Amino acid sequence: MLGAPLAVRAQVDTVRASTLPGPQLAEKSYNSGLASFNAQSYPAALASFNQAIAAKPDFASAYTNRAATRYELKEYPQALADYDQALKLEPGNYAGFFGRARVREAQKQLTEADQDYTEALKAKPDYAPAWYNRGVLRFEKGEYQAARDDFDGAIKADPKMAYAYHDRGSAQQKLGSYAAAAQDYSQALALQPDLLPALLNRATAERRTGQLPEALRDYDAYIAKKADNPLAFNNRGSARFENKDYAGAIADFSQAIKLDAAYAFAWNNRAAAQLKLEKYALAAADASEAIKLKADYAEAYLTRGHAREMLRQAEEACQDWRKAAELGLAVGNTYAAAAGCAGEATE
């Protein structure tokens, strides 16, 4: 799980007082806009920044902060125009590049957003939010090595940024470095103990490294604080299944289904646990429900095939195994051949 891109507070700078009416009005309106922005009173902030710009048309910081306000109001084209103007007035302003990147990201202009985050970092190499946001952007594009490098940059710039450790852990997982991922999640939790997704994700990394007791402790700790997440129950059920606690696994999968009746994976997982306890009719019924919810669910066909074989429904079992193979699970052909299913298996 990744954290949301960082929000920014209004950029505060020093505006010199002047005896001239225009600059005085611009200063007063600008400072009023900052106060309203930081109080999340965005329409009031917008009105104040409008007044500041009307009084001083070359007021770069007013354009930057009006753009940030328009971003919060989801007025993305207007925000983009304001950032463009601010950068014309102050070409090397990292805050302008960073803000414009966020607007472009909101408009799904991902290549341009990446470029702007890069420009922000050229202007201010130690700006952790730009490293972090670019890392999130690259993670979501599937560029996991580049994302990990960016989270490294964020951590170097701000060693106390818990989300950067968390998301670097997620990049580590995607790259198969599960032990390193677990360490990053642990660091994120040390910095921010209420960062619950880190518990859930660390448990996944621990399962990958065979640390089932540790994973189960993390799932327990997460569920104790958040008992309405079907994914948590499903994943703890999977850990219990791996630990050969099939009754406990069924209880967890059942709770996941109670929380989300359309959770096809939990239905099939419960079917697999029912098979282990030799409850074949229940296993077949659960796998059928998974298939009803997800018609291309190859693993569910495979599971139902096993249950039907044990129920002496040979032809139906053969059909399920072949369907699993047709959907890309080649082991279905193996089971069909071993059972002596008539006809040729699907390749």
Side-chain angles (χ1 to χ4, degrees):
M1 165 283 188
L2 295 177
L6 295 180
V8 291
R9 292 175 63 81
Q11 182 191 2
V12 181
D13 62 3
T14 301
V15 180
R16 294 182 181 275
S18 170
T19 58
L20 298 176
Q24 280 185 326
L25 176 60
E27 174 193 353
K28 181 178 178 180
S29 298
Y30 176 77
N31 290 333
S32 177
L34 292 178
S36 295
F37 184 98
N38 290 327
Q40 299 182 356
S41 299
Y42 300 121
L46 181 61
S48 293
F49 292 133
N50 284 342
Q51 290 175 348
I53 291 168
K56 186 180 179 184
D58 61 348
F59 199 163
S61 293
Y63 281 105
T64 299
N65 285 295
R66 187 172 72 174
T69 303
R70 285 174 159 168
Y71 173 87
E72 297 295 341
L73 293 170
K74 296 182 169 46
E75 298 176 358
Y76 300 130
Q78 298 93 325
L80 192 61
D82 274 349
Y83 279 125
D84 287 344
Q85 182 61 25
L87 286 166
K88 285 180 183 177
L89 293 167
E90 291 185 351
N93 187 345
Y94 75 92
F97 285 116
F98 179 77
R100 192 170 70 178
R102 295 173 72 226
V103 173
R104 285 177 160 169
E105 196 170 350
Q107 293 184 302
K108 308 302 181 186
Q109 299 171 0
L110 302 185
T111 299
E112 294 84 353
D114 190 297
Q115 291 169 351
D116 272 345
Y117 285 132
T118 301
E119 290 301 318
L121 289 167
K122 287 179 182 177
K124 188 172 175 57
D126 62 347
Y127 190 45
W131 285 109
Y132 176 79
N133 280 22
R134 191 176 70 174
V136 171
L137 177 65
R138 290 175 170 182
F139 184 98
E140 291 175 349
K141 291 195 301 182
E143 299 172 3
Y144 302 121
Q145 181 63 60
R148 184 171 68 179
D149 292 344
D150 277 350
F151 296 135
D152 285 343
I155 290 165
K156 183 177 180 181
D158 182 1
K160 294 185 178 180
M161 185 183 280
Y163 275 100
Y165 285 101
H166 177 276
D167 291 359
R168 188 174 70 177
S170 296
Q172 303 276 27
Q173 285 221 61
K174 291 293 187 179
L175 294 168
S177 300
Y178 301 112
Q183 291 175 358
D184 275 343
Y185 293 133
S186 294
Q187 183 61 33
L189 287 163
L191 291 166
Q192 190 172 329
D194 62 348
L195 188 56
L196 294 184
L199 275 175
L200 205 57
N201 289 329
R202 186 172 67 181
T204 298
E206 289 163 342
R207 283 174 57 200
R208 291 283 193 168
T209 56
Q211 298 174 285
L212 284 178
E214 291 81 359
L216 286 166
R217 281 198 295 270
D218 277 347
Y219 286 130
D220 291 345
Y222 179 92
I223 289 170
K225 295 180 180 179
K226 187 170 176 59
D228 61 351
N229 186 349
L231 174 66
F233 283 100
N234 179 75
N235 288 1
R236 187 175 71 176
S238 296
R240 286 176 164 175
F241 184 98
E242 292 164 12
N243 208 34
K244 298 183 169 42
D245 176 12
Y246 303 121
I250 287 171
D252 273 347
F253 296 138
S254 296
Q255 184 62 24
I257 291 166
K258 182 178 178 181
L259 291 168
D260 182 3
Y263 198 168
F265 297 110
W267 283 101
N268 184 58
N269 287 340
R270 190 171 73 174
Q274 303 281 21
L275 272 178
K276 291 292 186 179
L277 295 180
E278 300 182 1
K279 298 179 179 180
Y280 303 123
L282 291 175
D286 279 351
S288 293
E289 186 64 28
I291 291 166
K292 184 193 299 184
L293 292 165
K294 184 175 170 57
D296 61 349
Y297 195 174
E299 289 81 357
Y301 282 102
L302 193 71
T303 302
R304 192 172 68 176
H306 296 330
R308 285 176 163 177
E309 180 188 35
M310 300 309 296
L311 291 168
R312 303 295 187 266
Q313 298 171 358
E315 182 56 33
E316 291 86 348
C318 289
Q319 292 172 1
D320 278 343
W321 287 328
R322 287 180 181 149
K323 184 65 175 178
E326 179 185 324
L327 290 169
L329 205 56
V331 72
N333 286 335
T334 303
Y335 286 113
C341 296
E344 294 184 2
T346 303
E347 292 294 339

